[in-house]
mmCIF file of all heavy atoms in Angstrom:
data_model
loop_
_atom_site.group_PDB
_atom_site.id
_atom_site.type_symbol
_atom_site.label_atom_id
_atom_site.label_comp_id
_atom_site.label_asym_id
_atom_site.label_seq_id
_atom_site.Cartn_x
_atom_site.Cartn_y
_atom_site.Cartn_z
ATOM 1 N N ALA A 1 174.289 -157.425 -167.574
ATOM 2 C CA ALA A 1 173.864 -157.108 -166.215
ATOM 3 C C ALA A 1 172.626 -157.919 -165.831
ATOM 4 O O ALA A 1 172.489 -158.367 -164.685
ATOM 5 C CB ALA A 1 173.571 -155.613 -166.092
ATOM 6 N N GLY A 2 171.726 -158.139 -166.802
ATOM 7 C CA GLY A 2 170.564 -158.981 -166.550
ATOM 8 C C GLY A 2 170.955 -160.411 -166.243
ATOM 9 O O GLY A 2 170.330 -161.072 -165.399
ATOM 10 N N ALA A 3 172.002 -160.911 -166.920
ATOM 11 C CA ALA A 3 172.496 -162.258 -166.625
ATOM 12 C C ALA A 3 173.028 -162.330 -165.198
ATOM 13 O O ALA A 3 172.801 -163.320 -164.487
ATOM 14 C CB ALA A 3 173.588 -162.634 -167.623
ATOM 15 N N ALA A 4 173.753 -161.284 -164.771
ATOM 16 C CA ALA A 4 174.250 -161.244 -163.396
ATOM 17 C C ALA A 4 173.085 -161.233 -162.406
ATOM 18 O O ALA A 4 173.124 -161.924 -161.373
ATOM 19 C CB ALA A 4 175.134 -160.015 -163.189
ATOM 20 N N GLY A 5 172.032 -160.463 -162.709
ATOM 21 C CA GLY A 5 170.864 -160.438 -161.836
ATOM 22 C C GLY A 5 170.156 -161.785 -161.773
ATOM 23 O O GLY A 5 169.715 -162.216 -160.700
ATOM 24 N N GLY A 6 170.048 -162.462 -162.922
ATOM 25 C CA GLY A 6 169.445 -163.797 -162.927
ATOM 26 C C GLY A 6 170.248 -164.783 -162.091
ATOM 27 O O GLY A 6 169.678 -165.600 -161.361
ATOM 28 N N LEU A 7 171.574 -164.706 -162.206
ATOM 29 C CA LEU A 7 172.429 -165.563 -161.372
ATOM 30 C C LEU A 7 172.164 -165.296 -159.893
ATOM 31 O O LEU A 7 172.069 -166.225 -159.083
ATOM 32 C CB LEU A 7 173.901 -165.295 -161.678
ATOM 33 C CG LEU A 7 174.552 -166.054 -162.836
ATOM 34 C CD1 LEU A 7 176.004 -165.620 -162.967
ATOM 35 C CD2 LEU A 7 174.465 -167.560 -162.611
ATOM 36 N N TYR A 8 172.093 -164.009 -159.565
ATOM 37 C CA TYR A 8 171.853 -163.637 -158.167
ATOM 38 C C TYR A 8 170.531 -164.224 -157.667
ATOM 39 O O TYR A 8 170.459 -164.795 -156.574
ATOM 40 C CB TYR A 8 171.839 -162.111 -158.059
ATOM 41 C CG TYR A 8 171.643 -161.587 -156.656
ATOM 42 C CD1 TYR A 8 172.721 -161.441 -155.792
ATOM 43 C CD2 TYR A 8 170.369 -161.224 -156.206
ATOM 44 C CE1 TYR A 8 172.533 -160.952 -154.504
ATOM 45 C CE2 TYR A 8 170.177 -160.741 -154.925
ATOM 46 C CZ TYR A 8 171.267 -160.603 -154.079
ATOM 47 O OH TYR A 8 171.080 -160.126 -152.800
ATOM 48 N N ALA A 9 169.482 -164.106 -158.471
ATOM 49 C CA ALA A 9 168.172 -164.593 -158.055
ATOM 50 C C ALA A 9 168.163 -166.097 -157.842
ATOM 51 O O ALA A 9 167.590 -166.601 -156.868
ATOM 52 C CB ALA A 9 167.123 -164.202 -159.095
ATOM 53 N N HIS A 10 168.808 -166.848 -158.739
ATOM 54 C CA HIS A 10 168.730 -168.304 -158.676
ATOM 55 C C HIS A 10 169.772 -168.925 -157.755
ATOM 56 O O HIS A 10 169.703 -170.133 -157.487
ATOM 57 C CB HIS A 10 168.857 -168.892 -160.074
ATOM 58 C CG HIS A 10 167.663 -168.631 -160.943
ATOM 59 N ND1 HIS A 10 166.462 -169.283 -160.775
ATOM 60 C CD2 HIS A 10 167.476 -167.758 -161.967
ATOM 61 C CE1 HIS A 10 165.594 -168.848 -161.668
ATOM 62 N NE2 HIS A 10 166.178 -167.925 -162.401
ATOM 63 N N THR A 11 170.730 -168.138 -157.290
ATOM 64 C CA THR A 11 171.702 -168.663 -156.323
ATOM 65 C C THR A 11 171.335 -168.254 -154.892
ATOM 66 O O THR A 11 171.388 -169.064 -153.972
ATOM 67 C CB THR A 11 173.127 -168.183 -156.646
ATOM 68 O OG1 THR A 11 173.147 -166.754 -156.750
ATOM 69 C CG2 THR A 11 173.606 -168.775 -157.962
ATOM 70 N N VAL A 12 170.924 -167.001 -154.705
ATOM 71 C CA VAL A 12 170.458 -166.561 -153.384
ATOM 72 C C VAL A 12 169.055 -167.112 -153.107
ATOM 73 O O VAL A 12 168.710 -167.430 -151.965
ATOM 74 C CB VAL A 12 170.466 -165.025 -153.300
ATOM 75 C CG1 VAL A 12 169.913 -164.536 -151.970
ATOM 76 C CG2 VAL A 12 171.880 -164.497 -153.504
ATOM 77 N N ARG A 13 168.223 -167.184 -154.170
ATOM 78 C CA ARG A 13 166.899 -167.789 -154.155
ATOM 79 C C ARG A 13 165.878 -166.996 -153.345
ATOM 80 O O ARG A 13 164.838 -167.511 -152.964
ATOM 81 C CB ARG A 13 166.967 -169.243 -153.681
ATOM 82 C CG ARG A 13 167.899 -170.114 -154.519
ATOM 83 C CD ARG A 13 167.909 -171.556 -154.103
ATOM 84 N NE ARG A 13 166.609 -172.169 -154.310
ATOM 85 C CZ ARG A 13 166.307 -173.401 -153.902
ATOM 86 N NH1 ARG A 13 167.204 -174.118 -153.274
ATOM 87 N NH2 ARG A 13 165.105 -173.884 -154.121
ATOM 88 N N ILE A 14 166.175 -165.729 -153.097
ATOM 89 C CA ILE A 14 165.216 -164.806 -152.505
ATOM 90 C C ILE A 14 165.641 -163.395 -152.905
ATOM 91 O O ILE A 14 166.820 -163.058 -152.804
ATOM 92 C CB ILE A 14 165.151 -164.954 -150.971
ATOM 93 C CG1 ILE A 14 164.152 -163.940 -150.395
ATOM 94 C CG2 ILE A 14 166.525 -164.810 -150.337
ATOM 95 C CD1 ILE A 14 163.866 -164.152 -148.919
ATOM 96 N N ILE A 15 164.706 -162.610 -153.409
ATOM 97 C CA ILE A 15 165.038 -161.247 -153.814
ATOM 98 C C ILE A 15 163.937 -160.298 -153.354
ATOM 99 O O ILE A 15 162.771 -160.678 -153.216
ATOM 100 C CB ILE A 15 165.229 -161.108 -155.346
ATOM 101 C CG1 ILE A 15 163.969 -161.550 -156.098
ATOM 102 C CG2 ILE A 15 166.449 -161.860 -155.818
ATOM 103 C CD1 ILE A 15 164.018 -161.225 -157.582
ATOM 104 N N ASP A 16 164.326 -159.063 -153.104
ATOM 105 C CA ASP A 16 163.392 -158.004 -152.740
ATOM 106 C C ASP A 16 163.846 -156.728 -153.436
ATOM 107 O O ASP A 16 164.854 -156.742 -154.178
ATOM 108 C CB ASP A 16 163.317 -157.847 -151.223
ATOM 109 C CG ASP A 16 164.655 -157.488 -150.599
ATOM 110 O OD1 ASP A 16 165.548 -156.992 -151.314
ATOM 111 O OD2 ASP A 16 164.821 -157.702 -149.383
ATOM 112 N N PRO A 17 163.145 -155.611 -153.259
ATOM 113 C CA PRO A 17 163.527 -154.385 -153.974
ATOM 114 C C PRO A 17 164.931 -153.876 -153.685
ATOM 115 O O PRO A 17 165.418 -152.985 -154.386
ATOM 116 C CB PRO A 17 162.467 -153.375 -153.498
ATOM 117 C CG PRO A 17 161.274 -154.214 -153.180
ATOM 118 C CD PRO A 17 161.830 -155.470 -152.592
ATOM 119 N N ASP A 18 165.599 -154.444 -152.688
ATOM 120 C CA ASP A 18 166.968 -154.016 -152.401
ATOM 121 C C ASP A 18 167.947 -154.384 -153.517
ATOM 122 O O ASP A 18 169.088 -153.910 -153.500
ATOM 123 C CB ASP A 18 167.451 -154.613 -151.080
ATOM 124 C CG ASP A 18 166.899 -153.866 -149.875
ATOM 125 O OD1 ASP A 18 166.340 -152.763 -150.074
ATOM 126 O OD2 ASP A 18 167.006 -154.379 -148.745
ATOM 127 N N VAL A 19 167.530 -155.230 -154.467
ATOM 128 C CA VAL A 19 168.429 -155.522 -155.590
ATOM 129 C C VAL A 19 168.636 -154.290 -156.465
ATOM 130 O O VAL A 19 169.550 -154.261 -157.298
ATOM 131 C CB VAL A 19 167.911 -156.681 -156.469
ATOM 132 C CG1 VAL A 19 167.867 -157.974 -155.698
ATOM 133 C CG2 VAL A 19 166.559 -156.369 -157.081
ATOM 134 N N PHE A 20 167.795 -153.263 -156.267
ATOM 135 C CA PHE A 20 167.946 -152.010 -157.006
ATOM 136 C C PHE A 20 168.720 -150.961 -156.199
ATOM 137 O O PHE A 20 168.701 -149.785 -156.554
ATOM 138 C CB PHE A 20 166.576 -151.445 -157.384
ATOM 139 C CG PHE A 20 165.819 -152.277 -158.382
ATOM 140 C CD1 PHE A 20 164.815 -153.139 -157.966
ATOM 141 C CD2 PHE A 20 166.116 -152.204 -159.732
ATOM 142 C CE1 PHE A 20 164.107 -153.911 -158.880
ATOM 143 C CE2 PHE A 20 165.419 -152.967 -160.661
ATOM 144 C CZ PHE A 20 164.415 -153.828 -160.236
ATOM 145 N N MET A 21 169.370 -151.371 -155.115
ATOM 146 C CA MET A 21 170.073 -150.410 -154.263
ATOM 147 C C MET A 21 171.150 -149.662 -155.043
ATOM 148 O O MET A 21 171.906 -150.264 -155.815
ATOM 149 C CB MET A 21 170.733 -151.115 -153.071
ATOM 150 C CG MET A 21 169.808 -151.417 -151.923
ATOM 151 S SD MET A 21 170.732 -151.776 -150.407
ATOM 152 C CE MET A 21 171.839 -153.047 -150.965
ATOM 153 N N PHE A 22 171.237 -148.367 -154.811
ATOM 154 C CA PHE A 22 172.240 -147.527 -155.468
ATOM 155 C C PHE A 22 173.659 -147.992 -155.129
ATOM 156 O O PHE A 22 174.577 -147.862 -155.931
ATOM 157 C CB PHE A 22 172.041 -146.076 -155.040
ATOM 158 C CG PHE A 22 172.990 -145.104 -155.684
ATOM 159 C CD1 PHE A 22 172.960 -144.879 -157.053
ATOM 160 C CD2 PHE A 22 173.922 -144.420 -154.923
ATOM 161 C CE1 PHE A 22 173.836 -143.986 -157.650
ATOM 162 C CE2 PHE A 22 174.789 -143.520 -155.505
ATOM 163 C CZ PHE A 22 174.755 -143.304 -156.881
ATOM 164 N N MET A 23 173.828 -148.579 -153.936
ATOM 165 C CA MET A 23 175.157 -149.034 -153.511
ATOM 166 C C MET A 23 175.698 -150.111 -154.437
ATOM 167 O O MET A 23 176.911 -150.229 -154.622
ATOM 168 C CB MET A 23 175.079 -149.561 -152.074
ATOM 169 C CG MET A 23 176.433 -149.822 -151.437
ATOM 170 S SD MET A 23 177.405 -148.287 -151.344
ATOM 171 C CE MET A 23 179.042 -148.955 -151.131
ATOM 172 N N PHE A 24 174.819 -150.897 -155.035
ATOM 173 C CA PHE A 24 175.285 -151.926 -155.964
ATOM 174 C C PHE A 24 175.939 -151.293 -157.193
ATOM 175 O O PHE A 24 176.956 -151.772 -157.690
ATOM 176 C CB PHE A 24 174.121 -152.830 -156.394
ATOM 177 C CG PHE A 24 173.705 -153.829 -155.351
ATOM 178 C CD1 PHE A 24 172.581 -154.620 -155.531
ATOM 179 C CD2 PHE A 24 174.431 -153.982 -154.189
ATOM 180 C CE1 PHE A 24 172.197 -155.551 -154.585
ATOM 181 C CE2 PHE A 24 174.056 -154.917 -153.223
ATOM 182 C CZ PHE A 24 172.933 -155.700 -153.419
ATOM 183 N N THR A 25 175.341 -150.206 -157.695
ATOM 184 C CA THR A 25 175.948 -149.510 -158.826
ATOM 185 C C THR A 25 177.309 -148.937 -158.438
ATOM 186 O O THR A 25 178.279 -149.027 -159.200
ATOM 187 C CB THR A 25 175.034 -148.384 -159.325
ATOM 188 O OG1 THR A 25 173.837 -148.944 -159.868
ATOM 189 C CG2 THR A 25 175.723 -147.563 -160.414
ATOM 190 N N ILE A 26 177.396 -148.335 -157.250
ATOM 191 C CA ILE A 26 178.665 -147.776 -156.792
ATOM 192 C C ILE A 26 179.720 -148.871 -156.703
ATOM 193 O O ILE A 26 180.890 -148.666 -157.070
ATOM 194 C CB ILE A 26 178.485 -147.079 -155.435
ATOM 195 C CG1 ILE A 26 177.519 -145.899 -155.575
ATOM 196 C CG2 ILE A 26 179.817 -146.610 -154.879
ATOM 197 C CD1 ILE A 26 177.974 -144.857 -156.568
ATOM 198 N N THR A 27 179.317 -150.051 -156.229
ATOM 199 C CA THR A 27 180.254 -151.174 -156.158
ATOM 200 C C THR A 27 180.783 -151.536 -157.546
ATOM 201 O O THR A 27 181.984 -151.757 -157.726
ATOM 202 C CB THR A 27 179.561 -152.396 -155.533
ATOM 203 O OG1 THR A 27 179.111 -152.060 -154.217
ATOM 204 C CG2 THR A 27 180.512 -153.573 -155.445
ATOM 205 N N MET A 28 179.895 -151.577 -158.537
ATOM 206 C CA MET A 28 180.324 -151.874 -159.905
ATOM 207 C C MET A 28 181.280 -150.811 -160.425
ATOM 208 O O MET A 28 182.314 -151.138 -161.049
ATOM 209 C CB MET A 28 179.103 -151.965 -160.830
ATOM 210 C CG MET A 28 178.094 -153.023 -160.485
ATOM 211 S SD MET A 28 176.639 -152.894 -161.575
ATOM 212 C CE MET A 28 175.401 -153.731 -160.588
ATOM 213 N N VAL A 29 180.964 -149.550 -160.195
ATOM 214 C CA VAL A 29 181.812 -148.458 -160.676
ATOM 215 C C VAL A 29 183.196 -148.539 -160.039
ATOM 216 O O VAL A 29 184.227 -148.368 -160.715
ATOM 217 C CB VAL A 29 181.163 -147.091 -160.383
ATOM 218 C CG1 VAL A 29 182.116 -145.955 -160.715
ATOM 219 C CG2 VAL A 29 179.877 -146.940 -161.183
ATOM 220 N N ILE A 30 183.249 -148.799 -158.738
ATOM 221 C CA ILE A 30 184.536 -148.921 -158.049
ATOM 222 C C ILE A 30 185.354 -150.066 -158.645
ATOM 223 O O ILE A 30 186.563 -149.930 -158.889
ATOM 224 C CB ILE A 30 184.314 -149.140 -156.544
ATOM 225 C CG1 ILE A 30 183.770 -147.861 -155.899
ATOM 226 C CG2 ILE A 30 185.608 -149.565 -155.859
ATOM 227 C CD1 ILE A 30 183.345 -148.039 -154.468
ATOM 228 N N MET A 31 184.720 -151.204 -158.882
ATOM 229 C CA MET A 31 185.428 -152.355 -159.454
ATOM 230 C C MET A 31 186.030 -152.014 -160.813
ATOM 231 O O MET A 31 187.163 -152.381 -161.119
ATOM 232 C CB MET A 31 184.475 -153.544 -159.589
ATOM 233 C CG MET A 31 184.059 -154.180 -158.276
ATOM 234 S SD MET A 31 182.858 -155.510 -158.533
ATOM 235 C CE MET A 31 182.694 -156.159 -156.863
ATOM 236 N N VAL A 32 185.260 -151.294 -161.638
ATOM 237 C CA VAL A 32 185.721 -150.963 -162.988
ATOM 238 C C VAL A 32 186.857 -149.944 -162.943
ATOM 239 O O VAL A 32 187.904 -150.129 -163.586
ATOM 240 C CB VAL A 32 184.546 -150.421 -163.835
ATOM 241 C CG1 VAL A 32 185.060 -149.880 -165.167
ATOM 242 C CG2 VAL A 32 183.523 -151.527 -164.078
ATOM 243 N N ILE A 33 186.695 -148.881 -162.181
ATOM 244 C CA ILE A 33 187.680 -147.799 -162.183
ATOM 245 C C ILE A 33 188.972 -148.224 -161.491
ATOM 246 O O ILE A 33 190.071 -147.962 -161.989
ATOM 247 C CB ILE A 33 187.092 -146.540 -161.517
ATOM 248 C CG1 ILE A 33 185.966 -145.987 -162.392
ATOM 249 C CG2 ILE A 33 188.166 -145.482 -161.300
ATOM 250 C CD1 ILE A 33 185.283 -144.770 -161.830
ATOM 251 N N VAL A 34 188.871 -148.887 -160.352
ATOM 252 C CA VAL A 34 190.073 -149.316 -159.644
ATOM 253 C C VAL A 34 190.818 -150.378 -160.445
ATOM 254 O O VAL A 34 192.048 -150.351 -160.545
ATOM 255 C CB VAL A 34 189.719 -149.835 -158.238
ATOM 256 C CG1 VAL A 34 190.929 -150.481 -157.575
ATOM 257 C CG2 VAL A 34 189.215 -148.690 -157.368
ATOM 258 N N GLY A 35 190.091 -151.319 -161.028
ATOM 259 C CA GLY A 35 190.751 -152.346 -161.828
ATOM 260 C C GLY A 35 191.339 -151.803 -163.113
ATOM 261 O O GLY A 35 192.390 -152.252 -163.562
ATOM 262 N N GLY A 36 190.678 -150.823 -163.713
ATOM 263 C CA GLY A 36 191.150 -150.230 -164.958
ATOM 264 C C GLY A 36 190.069 -150.256 -166.012
ATOM 265 O O GLY A 36 189.859 -151.279 -166.666
ATOM 266 N N LYS A 37 189.372 -149.130 -166.174
ATOM 267 C CA LYS A 37 188.289 -149.084 -167.153
ATOM 268 C C LYS A 37 188.862 -149.136 -168.568
ATOM 269 O O LYS A 37 189.972 -148.678 -168.833
ATOM 270 C CB LYS A 37 187.446 -147.824 -166.969
ATOM 271 C CG LYS A 37 188.181 -146.517 -167.200
ATOM 272 C CD LYS A 37 187.248 -145.332 -167.048
ATOM 273 C CE LYS A 37 187.975 -144.027 -167.336
ATOM 274 N NZ LYS A 37 187.078 -142.856 -167.257
ATOM 275 N N GLY A 38 188.092 -149.716 -169.456
ATOM 276 C CA GLY A 38 188.554 -149.850 -170.836
ATOM 277 C C GLY A 38 189.547 -150.973 -171.028
ATOM 278 O O GLY A 38 190.183 -151.061 -172.072
#
């Protein structure tokens, strides 16, 4: 997850506290469960 965050920082090239938004976690959970966890 830290690698993903580093990619985000160096590709978008601007970050603020919104990178900690709860919606980002929900997006990850949806991707995992809908695609098939495990």
Side-chain angles (χ1 to χ4, degrees):
L7 274 179
Y8 182 85
H10 290 286
T11 54
V12 177
R13 303 183 64 187
I14 179 171
I15 58 171
D16 60 20
D18 282 348
V19 296
F20 293 100
M21 279 197 307
F22 182 65
M23 191 61 199
F24 284 173
T25 294
I26 297 301
T27 300
M28 300 175 202
V29 173
I30 290 172
M31 290 177 175
V32 171
I33 293 179
V34 171
K37 63 178 182 177

